[in-house]
Amino acid sequence: LDYAENVDVQRRVNEIKRLNKYDFAKFLAKNDGFALDPDAILDVQVKRLHEYKRQLLCAMLITRLQMKIHDDPNADFMPVPFVFGAKAAAGYYTAKRIIELICSLADDISRDPLCKGKLQVCFMENYRVSAAEALMPAAQVSEQISTAGKEASGTGNMKLMINGAVTIGTLDGANVEIHEQVGDENIFLFGMKAHEVEELWQRGYHPTEFITPELQAVLDMLTSGVLGQRFDDLVDSLLTNRFGTADPYMTLADFQDYARAQRDVAAVYQDKQRFARMSLINIAKAGIFSSDRAVKEYADEIWDLD
């Protein structure tokens, strides 16, 4: 923290991140045959593939970004590769369909000349420890976007935090403690809080109430077949009743605020010194998650040991 305002240290942090991204680009080229742009801001979501972790929300945002590029190809656009790493349970059909969607998006965007130099998507094959060792030091934006109250954000967000990635996320799970440590100015929060999710359940969640023209265009693209196949089943899962209610993960309800938070990331990243400062503060404040602290707390407060 003593060095958070030091311009030379900030510059060095940015240099280290850039070198780490080049190393990660080499790993992706060998592991996945993917040509990562190491000069763009690296946005990652790595964790089990599950609806409540909402990889689908990020995929919808990517769809919207591609559409915006087509709407105005000459507009300013912060280049960004989105990198996913995940595995789905063997019988989890919807999770596997989300993987198919992300891979279809990746293929379509890689062939889209308007997206060249602006937008990339990669779903890493066989995400594992060696892949994490390459990815974690390179990551700059950590996607922790589960529905508030689901306690989905556990230790992965801590690993990314201590490597200097800045979190974009909901107030869920360990994100709550991260926010307590770094403050509003060093995290990108969005979406409903846990009590607001519960209140919406009580009132009755009707996803169609949250569909704006922008969001409808995203849903239409997913069902159009332009991605090589139609994803009507995933769109239906967001709109129709399951488990006695429509989408229990309220993906559509949080979409607009998630898009706003992503715009905030793009705006802040333009100031490289500010973003480096955020990165430094996240690294410094990760100490609370030390296992030494946790064991001492257990010893003092639970085991009553001297």
Side-chain angles (χ1 to χ4, degrees):
L1 285 179
D2 291 343
Y3 295 93
E5 306 295 341
N6 186 304
V7 174
D8 291 332
V9 174
Q10 293 168 355
R11 186 180 302 112
R12 182 64 181 138
V13 165
N14 287 332
E15 289 172 355
I16 291 168
K17 271 293 175 188
R18 189 166 183 266
L19 291 170
N20 290 343
K21 286 191 289 183
Y22 271 93
D23 287 342
F24 181 52
K26 293 176 185 175
F27 177 89
L28 276 185
K30 181 177 180 180
N31 189 73
D32 300 85
F34 185 84
L36 179 79
D37 178 2
D39 293 317
I41 184 172
L42 180 56
D43 185 305
V44 308
Q45 187 174 11
V46 288
K47 55 185 67 210
R48 276 192 309 122
L49 202 305
H50 198 294
E51 287 168 276
Y52 75 88
K53 295 179 184 292
R54 298 202 296 192
Q55 284 94 344
L56 181 55
L57 178 61
C58 189
M60 291 165 60
L61 184 279
I62 292 168
T63 303
R64 178 56 191 152
L65 291 177
Q66 185 183 15
M67 294 171 70
K68 286 183 69 174
I69 291 170
H70 277 256
D71 290 343
D72 188 358
N74 296 317
D76 289 338
F77 190 92
M78 182 190 71
V80 54
F82 288 87
V83 175
F84 296 84
K87 294 180 182 179
Y92 195 168
Y93 174 80
T94 302
K96 293 185 180 233
R97 286 290 286 159
I98 293 171
I99 293 174
E100 284 188 86
L101 169 60
I102 295 169
C103 291
S104 295
L105 271 172
D107 289 342
D108 187 64
I109 288 170
S110 70
R111 295 191 300 265
D112 188 339
L114 292 181
C115 290
K116 186 174 179 60
K118 296 180 178 179
L119 185 61
Q120 290 184 298
V121 181
C122 175
F123 197 105
M124 297 177 70
E125 293 182 12
N126 189 24
Y127 186 64
R128 58 203 186 277
V129 171
S130 58
E133 288 173 338
L135 178 142
M136 294 283 179
Q140 293 173 288
V141 178
S142 167
E143 298 268 354
Q144 308 294 333
I145 59 177
S146 50
T147 313
K150 296 296 184 183
E151 300 295 321
S153 298
T155 56
N157 51 2
M158 303 172 197
K159 296 169 190 171
L160 286 158
M161 175 191 189
I162 203 168
N163 278 280
V166 179
T167 300
I168 179 170
T170 53
L171 276 175
D172 183 60
N175 287 353
V176 176
E177 285 95 341
I178 291 175
H179 175 242
E180 288 172 353
Q181 291 300 306
V182 304
D184 291 338
E185 65 278 11
N186 296 299
I187 189 172
F188 297 98
L189 292 178
F190 74 92
M192 293 178 290
K193 299 176 177 63
H195 74 275
E196 293 171 325
V197 170
E198 184 59 32
E199 289 167 5
L200 184 52
W201 282 134
Q202 297 301 323
R203 294 197 307 271
Y205 174 53
H206 305 289
T208 53
E209 296 176 1
F210 297 91
I211 298 180
T212 61
E214 177 187 76
L215 184 49
Q216 185 62 60
V218 170
L219 300 178
D220 288 345
M221 182 172 175
L222 299 186
T223 59
S224 68
V226 72
L227 297 174
Q229 58 177 304
R230 295 171 59 106
F231 292 93
D232 300 72
D233 52 337
L234 291 182
V235 172
D236 288 344
S237 76
L238 299 174
L239 299 173
T240 57
N241 286 342
R242 295 182 300 157
F243 318 117
T245 184
D247 178 26
Y249 311 109
M250 296 186 174
T251 304
L252 300 189
D254 274 346
F255 179 81
Q256 294 300 330
D257 202 33
Y258 176 53
R260 185 272 311 160
Q262 286 282 2
R263 290 193 296 272
D264 290 347
V265 172
V268 170
Y269 190 68
Q270 303 306 313
D271 184 344
K272 296 297 190 296
Q273 290 185 2
R274 180 182 174 186
F275 201 85
R277 180 181 183 275
M278 294 176 72
S279 181
L280 276 163
I281 290 173
N282 271 269
I283 293 168
K285 291 290 189 175
I288 193 174
F289 297 116
S290 162
S291 58
D292 290 343
R293 179 208 55 85
V295 171
K296 185 177 187 305
E297 207 168 278
Y298 268 72
D300 293 343
E301 300 178 13
I302 297 175
W303 301 328
D304 196 25
L305 299 176
D306 292 332

